[in-house]
Amino acid sequence: MKPFAIAGVQMHVSALHSNVEDMRHRIEILMARFPWTQMVLFSELAPFGPLDQYAQPFPNDTIAQFQEDARRFGIWLIPGSMFEKRADGSIYNTSVVINPEGEIVSKYSKMFPFKPYEAGISSGTDFCVFDVPDVGRFGLSICYDIWFPETTRQLTSQGVEVLLHPVLTGTTDREAEISIAKATAAQFQCYVIDVNGLGAGGVGRSLVVDPAATVLHQSAGQEDMFPIEVDLDMVRRQRETGLKGLGQVLKSFRDRAADFSVYDRTSGTDAYLSTLGPLETPGQGSRAGVDMADPRTALSDGKQVQFSQWSGANFKGTGTG
């Protein structure tokens, strides 16, 4: 094992003023306490908080300051994300990866803004994969992205061994998100480094999960700095032999017999999704879902057959798995 230490920083985030100096101060404290740290990850939208009125063009002076910090301490630095305003006026939720020389080696814009609540935020389309020399391959996704396993599938199919996952979750679905982080680690045989903020930046409860879905650390609801050494030899061994010597899920996916027509937007397989109504914020007393058509009767006759022939008493189960 070649040790590689990744530190998450769970800190209070303000919505109404810059948090940049507070972040830089915490980097100083972290490196004084844990000088063996080699990579630092902050939470989503940590520098300027969750309001897109503070969007700014890239590159900018704030990123230059973080580049200076990465050089000064010789660390890889992912300073959360911030709203990026592009020349055409569109706004993206964007993160940068800075290497120990202070160079920006990758940039990533969130693919799945939390719509309908993040209305007006554009979706990125490019994946973020980067290599740490002599260590391994890393990937980046932001918050809601992890709810869509296709994003992690794309990353791990390109060899990603550590998923860096800055989040801003201050809502009641944090428990579900924690479960998804654990499941992602097991499904894709990778580390998941999930860093949430506090205050306007979230409810905390950051966590680090290894490829066997073991939680190596979970924060509570207070400020926390947590450097964890990851063992990428363990990732490679598990991908070879399976989770605890059992499921070899990446190989099984590689050797699959099935193709998934749902990913062909012209196939019609996903016709049911078009019956779900618009992606919009529910109103008071909303009956969305209550009045929604039964999926067995909402589609064409051909689709009805697909549902009915496998439903109810016509289906004889053969176990789980």
Side-chain angles (χ1 to χ4, degrees):
M1 168 186 174
K2 179 173 182 178
F4 189 77
I6 305 172
V9 179
Q10 176 175 290
M11 60 172 275
H12 186 275
V13 174
S14 172
L16 299 178
H17 63 75
S18 169
N19 302 290
V20 173
E21 287 307 312
D22 289 339
M23 293 172 67
R24 300 185 74 194
H25 180 57
R26 281 163 179 77
I27 294 172
E28 288 195 28
I29 295 172
L30 171 71
M31 297 309 297
R33 292 181 63 195
F34 310 110
W36 41 274
T37 298
Q38 294 157 282
M39 177 180 283
V40 180
L41 174 65
F42 284 87
S43 60
E44 178 186 17
L45 299 175
F48 296 106
L51 302 180
D52 61 23
Q53 69 192 55
Y54 297 113
Q56 53 190 291
F58 276 36
N60 54 59
D61 290 342
T62 295
I63 293 175
Q65 289 177 305
F66 287 129
Q67 290 176 273
E68 177 186 329
D69 292 331
R71 277 193 300 270
R72 176 183 172 192
F73 293 106
I75 56 173
W76 291 81
L77 178 58
I78 300 91
S81 66
M82 62 186 81
F83 285 121
E84 173 193 11
K85 189 168 187 177
R86 298 189 181 174
D88 62 0
S90 59
I91 296 176
Y92 291 79
N93 184 342
T94 300
S95 183
V96 294
V97 177
I98 305 169
N99 71 13
E101 289 72 46
E103 302 162 336
I104 296 174
V105 299
S106 191
K107 173 183 170 183
Y108 174 72
S109 294
K110 187 176 182 180
M111 290 189 170
F112 288 93
F114 191 47
K115 295 181 178 180
Y117 297 95
E118 290 183 340
I121 306 303
S122 299
S123 300
T125 56
D126 296 327
F127 287 89
C128 176
V129 176
F130 65 96
D131 292 330
V132 174
D134 302 319
V135 176
R137 180 157 288 187
F138 291 68
L140 179 64
S141 66
I142 298 176
C143 203
Y144 199 38
D145 289 339
I146 204 173
W147 288 67
F148 302 87
E150 296 84 355
T151 60
T152 311
R153 173 74 67 196
Q154 180 91 4
L155 294 171
T156 54
S157 293
Q158 295 179 70
V160 163
E161 299 164 304
V162 179
L163 178 65
L164 303 168
H165 187 235
V167 308
L168 190 168
T169 301
T171 45
T172 54
D173 57 349
R174 179 58 179 158
E175 190 64 43
E177 191 169 68
I178 289 170
S179 297
I180 290 171
K182 296 176 188 176
T184 296
Q187 284 179 290
F188 298 103
Q189 300 178 299
C190 65
Y191 282 94
V192 175
I193 317 294
D194 178 282
V195 181
N196 197 14
L198 297 169
V203 294
R205 302 180 70 196
S206 303
L207 73 161
V208 178
V209 192
D210 78 5
T214 300
V215 176
L216 302 180
H217 174 79
Q218 181 156 2
S219 305
Q222 70 280 335
E223 296 220 354
D224 193 14
M225 299 177 182
F226 46 96
I228 301 288
E229 282 192 347
V230 298
D231 178 3
L232 299 194
D233 287 340
M234 175 183 156
V235 176
R236 294 156 197 165
R237 177 64 175 165
Q238 183 166 298
R239 289 178 174 181
E240 177 188 357
T241 63
L243 192 159
K244 300 181 179 180
L246 300 169
Q248 299 178 31
V249 290
L250 295 190
K251 291 183 189 176
S252 294
F253 181 79
R254 178 199 66 195
D255 297 346
R256 67 192 181 277
D259 286 322
F260 300 103
S261 58
V262 69
Y263 295 115
D264 176 1
R265 297 190 190 213
T266 65
S267 70
T269 302
D270 62 350
Y272 166 67
L273 300 181
S274 298
T275 73
L276 298 181
L279 180 60
E280 62 186 11
T281 305
Q284 291 181 334
S286 171
R287 291 182 57 82
V290 178
D291 298 326
M292 191 175 295
D294 187 316
R296 293 169 296 179
T297 59
L299 305 176
S300 65
D301 290 342
K303 297 300 180 194
Q304 287 180 39
V305 171
Q306 289 184 26
F307 281 109
S308 64
Q309 72 186 60
W310 294 106
S311 64
N314 294 328
F315 178 73
K316 299 187 183 298
T318 57
T320 60

